Amino acid sequence: MCGIIGYIGLKKATPILINGLLRLEYRGYDSAGLSTIEPGGLSIMKDKGRVKNLYKLDGIDDLVGTIGIAHTRWATHGKPSKENSHPHLDNSNHFAVVHNGIIENYNELKDFLIDNGYTFYSQTDTEVIPNLIHYYYSKDSKNDSQRVLRAVQSACKSLKGSYAIQIISTYLPDNIIVAKKDSPLVIGKGTEENYISSDIPAILSFTNEFYFLDDFEIALIERNNIEFFDLNLSKIDKKVKNIDWNAGSADKNGYEDFMLKEIFEQPISVRETVGSRLTENENCCFDELNFNKEFLLNINKIYIVACGTAMHAGLSGKNAIEKLCKIPVTVDIASEFRYRDPIVDKNTLCIFISQSGETADTIAALKLSKSKNATTLAISNVVGSSITREADYSLYTHAGPEIAVASTKAYTSQVVLLELLAIYFAEILESYSFKELNNIKNEILALPSKIEATLKCSDDIKNFAKQIYQEKDVFFLGRGIDYNTALEGSLKLKEISYIHSEAYAAGELKHGPIALIENGITVVSVITDEQLVEKTISNIQEVITRGAHTLVITNKNLPTNNIDKVILIPDTYTLLSPILSIIPLQLLAYYISKEKGLDVDKPRNLAKSVTVE
Ligand code: G6P
């Protein structure tokens, strides 16, 4: 989705802004632009297409301003074009604005402004913002240092919808003003300089100290001072947070793509996520939670709510919690949950999973659960992200920054964290054999080395990818916990190879999809659950009989005679197998995308963090 970068300091802003935009490219966008405060007024440089095209724009090299705002746009209102790109200026050219989010009442505001003599040059919802600021500025008779701030305050009060905005103005030549509601924004604190961004990794090479703006807050940023206000312009005391990610973790480190690097980082990301939560012969420990037996006994059901890959991680969480804790768990898609009027009350525990912690639907689902008095628990990879600020309790995966749009290491970290959570609950509830729990815990500690072993299938998968990369349809099958992996494997393939793929519970094959199986169709199956081996094998035979080309990911010794390719992965406890069995499927999607010559890290139409509905 759209990305925001801002700089205020002593250096030339333009190269820093463009460099920041390049680091935000992974979020997905179709146009880019920037504005700086120049001696002669506000500069505007923008166009549709890639960030690097900005370097080609006439006059970009002449910019000397040390204060600027920049943006990558992911079109919502109005097609990708120069006019619709951000920044947008007000009619008097005194205010430049970049915006992430959607202004829902923009038609109403536009009519109001047109009635007041304003003209619009784009089809965007954003263009109302600079004009609204100008409108309030010109109506304000008090000409003091807070006049621009008051105009921004009034504009924000008029906006409905979601926004993270940056404003620069010739009337306030030493400041950037930012404001936020329901869209992410962080401020990186430097020495004699400050940075603004939609997310942490883009400015991690400049600072480790961040302020997280909350909804309905405004910040007035100077080179060496930042003031925070609420929407009534009362001052807020905000604490800086230290983020311990290192800048190198947001680089490719010699890998061709971020996705490949992140796939190969999984032994570390899983180890880091387990961290001190699990030590041999000790009970599972979550310092962040203070759940006791009485509280857990009162929980009558658990909802796990998320989007995309995070939702698939939730499915494995359901398997673990239901098996070990005997509490019913419903996994729901956040965009469905929020409009379903779900049956949630004070005895419901709602768990929200989001790598970014900024997904609009997941945040809305969380707010809904809170309004129904549920206990809310956020699982995120980003310290200080919106869901963690909103939820009663927060747990972090420690996967490090995930840059590729297709999620890999965040997924396996989410699954392992949910397994640990299930064990933690089961130990408190005494709902499962302690001996068995200890076996699972030992298996969790062995996962990093088993992931290393699984990654050795990379060349075999690459060869298989070469055989099938021109396919039009691929089917993924699995039963029980392997169905979760099939869903995630299918999503990975769609996301980055643009091949149509479907995941089916293998038992459903006969109820429709088998009609689509014909000579040459590729069917990928996952088999890790001992109890379901025979059943899934029968389904595979059915597709082989109909001419399918088959790949099987398994940790069992299967009769392999007529299967085209079997990838043998290390054995583990069934509940943990999704952490290993997904790896060959991540690699399959990756190598198919590479064979097709596609941009693996930035697939078309997709965004890393979906901050609008
Ligand atoms: C987008 C991303 C997916 C991700 C999903 C949820 O669709 O492309 O990779 O799984 O959002 O994101 P979240 O940050 O909430 O986990």
Side-chain angles (χ1 to χ4, degrees):
M1 295 267 124
C2 305
I4 277 181
I5 289 286
Y7 174 75
I8 182 163
L10 295 168
K11 300 174 196 135
K12 261 197 200 179
T14 306
I16 295 171
L17 295 173
I18 296 181
N19 183 36
L21 290 183
L22 288 169
R23 287 183 170 270
L24 284 180
E25 274 193 313
Y26 74 94
R27 292 169 67 92
Y29 72 102
D30 44 54
S31 35
L34 61 87
S35 175
T36 52
I37 304 182
E38 296 295 315
L42 298 176
S43 72
I44 293 279
M45 297 281 167
K46 59 183 187 177
D47 210 347
K48 71 172 183 187
R50 308 313 279 177
V51 170
K52 60 179 184 325
N53 295 347
L54 290 175
Y55 286 120
K56 297 186 196 143
L57 296 179
D58 274 353
I60 195 114
D61 296 331
D62 305 330
L63 301 180
V64 293
T66 59
I67 299 176
I69 57 178
H71 188 261
T72 45
R73 172 172 187 255
W74 192 84
T76 56
H77 295 66
K79 62 179 190 322
S81 69
K82 181 172 178 173
E83 296 68 41
N84 289 334
S85 311
H86 299 213
H88 288 280
L89 284 170
D90 74 306
N91 285 179
S92 75
N93 293 347
H94 285 296
F95 297 95
V97 169
V98 297
H99 162 227
N100 285 1
I102 290 178
I103 305 304
E104 287 163 4
N105 59 338
Y106 82 103
N107 271 325
E108 202 180 295
L109 294 170
K110 199 167 174 175
D111 289 345
F112 168 79
L113 289 163
I114 290 171
D115 288 347
N116 280 279
Y118 289 84
T119 307
F120 285 84
Y121 300 96
S122 78
Q123 291 116 43
T124 63
D125 51 339
T126 303
E127 204 184 351
V128 298
I129 306 174
N131 285 312
L132 208 54
I133 295 172
H134 176 265
Y135 170 81
Y136 287 115
Y137 182 84
S138 55
K139 292 280 168 233
D140 193 336
S141 52
K142 217 161 125 199
N143 198 10
D144 61 2
S145 63
Q146 292 233 314
R147 189 167 165 193
V148 176
L149 196 60
R150 282 195 300 277
V152 171
Q153 171 205 24
S154 304
C156 288
K157 283 188 168 174
S158 313
L159 301 177
K160 289 203 180 110
S162 56
Y163 58 82
I165 46 177
Q166 291 193 106
I167 303 123
I168 50 174
S169 171
T170 52
Y171 296 132
L172 208 61
D174 298 320
N175 293 80
I176 297 178
I177 299 182
V178 298
K180 149 180 166 54
K181 179 188 169 260
D182 291 340
S183 281
L185 197 88
V186 297
I187 301 168
K189 183 175 174 292
T191 311
E192 293 277 329
E193 57 185 8
N194 289 306
Y195 297 83
I196 299 128
S197 177
S198 304
D199 62 27
I200 297 167
I203 50 176
L204 205 52
S205 54
F206 304 115
T207 179
N208 282 83
E209 295 195 315
F210 290 89
Y211 292 104
F212 295 90
L213 209 62
D214 280 309
D215 285 351
F216 304 110
E217 288 182 355
I218 300 177
L220 180 66
I221 306 169
E222 282 175 78
R223 179 158 52 86
N224 40 27
N225 189 38
I226 308 174
E227 288 180 298
F228 297 93
F229 302 90
D230 65 17
L231 267 197
N232 295 319
L233 293 191
S234 304
K235 277 206 184 173
I236 298 168
D237 184 23
K238 200 172 269 291
K239 298 269 172 298
V240 75
K241 275 205 166 113
N242 202 67
I243 302 295
D244 64 0
W245 288 349
N246 66 49
S249 56
D251 290 328
K252 283 187 195 157
N253 285 346
Y255 282 90
E256 235 175 281
D257 307 274
F258 279 110
M259 183 175 175
L260 192 63
K261 172 185 170 240
E262 288 160 7
I263 291 173
F264 276 85
E265 276 175 348
Q266 290 177 106
I268 306 162
S269 52
V270 165
R271 183 182 292 118
E272 291 288 315
T273 300
V274 173
S276 58
R277 288 161 174 154
L278 193 60
T279 26
E280 233 172 306
N281 304 323
E282 298 282 339
N283 275 5
C284 218
C285 161
F286 280 94
D287 290 334
E288 310 89 327
L289 307 177
N290 57 0
F291 295 171
N292 57 28
K293 191 166 185 175
E294 194 193 343
F295 169 79
L296 287 175
L297 283 173
N298 276 329
I299 296 293
N300 53 19
K301 88 160 136 186
I302 295 178
Y303 265 109
I304 301 182
V305 184
C307 300
T309 290
M311 190 277 286
H312 292 158
L315 294 171
S316 295
K318 171 185 164 82
N319 287 77
I321 296 171
E322 289 193 338
K323 185 173 172 90
L324 305 184
C325 316
K326 318 281 183 277
I327 305 173
V329 181
T330 302
V331 180
D332 214 339
I333 298 164
S335 54
E336 290 293 313
F337 177 89
R338 63 182 289 193
Y339 295 117
R340 191 199 299 292
D341 193 13
I343 304 170
V344 168
D345 60 26
K346 64 176 181 16
N347 294 324
T348 315
L349 172 64
C350 294
I351 303 176
F352 299 88
I353 312 172
S354 173
Q355 186 283 129
S356 62
E358 304 295 348
T359 302
D361 284 319
T362 310
I363 296 170
L366 166 52
K367 287 181 178 166
L368 175 72
S369 308
K370 275 178 85 175
S371 73
K372 289 174 176 274
N373 300 318
T375 301
T376 56
L377 166 61
I379 296 181
S380 179
N381 195 37
V382 180
V383 175
S385 58
S386 297
I387 66 161
T388 64
R389 281 176 286 144
E390 198 70 44
D392 299 322
Y393 299 92
S394 297
L395 298 176
Y396 290 105
T397 49
H398 294 288
E402 191 181 64
I403 308 290
V405 165
S407 180
T408 53
K409 62 175 181 171
Y411 170 76
T412 43
S413 290
Q414 288 159 353
V415 176
V416 82
L417 187 62
L418 287 161
E419 303 292 339
L420 292 173
L421 194 63
I423 296 169
Y424 168 77
F425 288 172
E427 284 175 339
I428 296 174
L429 285 166
E430 300 175 282
S431 52
Y432 205 71
S433 136
F434 274 92
K435 190 164 161 261
E436 275 298 291
L437 288 178
N438 276 336
N439 290 341
I440 305 175
K441 290 198 290 195
N442 287 334
E443 274 300 313
I444 290 179
L445 292 172
L447 278 173
S449 59
K450 292 193 177 185
I451 296 172
E452 296 270 10
T454 308
L455 284 164
K456 298 216 163 82
C457 72
S458 185
D459 286 344
D460 281 349
I461 292 286
K462 192 175 181 176
N463 289 335
F464 192 81
K466 284 193 171 124
Q467 295 165 32
I468 67 156
Y469 75 97
Q470 282 166 323
E471 296 285 306
K472 295 274 173 287
D473 304 280
V474 173
F475 289 87
F476 289 77
L477 300 180
R479 280 176 187 257
I481 203 144
D482 295 327
Y483 175 45
N484 306 345
T485 308
L487 284 165
E488 175 56 10
S490 167
L491 177 63
K492 285 291 86 81
L493 189 66
K494 288 187 188 79
E495 283 180 313
I496 59 167
S497 77
Y498 317 147
I499 293 175
H500 167 251
S501 74
E502 301 267 358
Y504 274 98
E508 275 290 289
L509 196 65
K510 288 201 197 65
H511 301 287
I514 200 161
L516 299 171
I517 305 296
E518 56 187 17
N519 242 350
I521 284 261
T522 299
V523 177
V524 179
S525 309
V526 185
I527 307 180
T528 66
D529 187 340
E530 185 72 57
Q531 294 177 38
L532 301 170
V533 174
E534 303 297 327
K535 304 273 176 209
T536 312
I537 286 284
S538 305
N539 299 128
I540 295 173
Q541 292 308 336
E542 286 157 11
V543 298
I544 290 174
T545 309
R546 286 158 183 84
H549 186 212
T550 48
L551 168 69
V552 175
I553 314 298
T554 187
N555 52 18
K556 308 288 174 235
N557 284 319
L558 303 179
T560 57
N561 34 7
N562 50 5
I563 298 172
D564 293 297
K565 182 76 198 164
V566 174
I567 298 288
L568 195 61
I569 59 171
D571 200 6
T572 188
Y573 208 88
T574 305
L575 280 180
L576 306 177
S577 67
I579 295 165
L580 302 179
S581 55
I582 192 58
I583 289 170
L585 302 187
Q586 294 169 342
L587 288 165
L588 182 66
Y590 173 81
Y591 285 121
I592 289 178
S593 179
K594 290 300 275 185
E595 282 299 324
K596 292 181 81 169
L598 301 172
D599 187 342
V600 175
D601 288 337
K602 298 189 283 287
R604 70 180 181 204
N605 302 342
L606 298 182
K608 179 73 182 158
S609 179
V610 181
T611 51
V612 295
E613 237 191 295

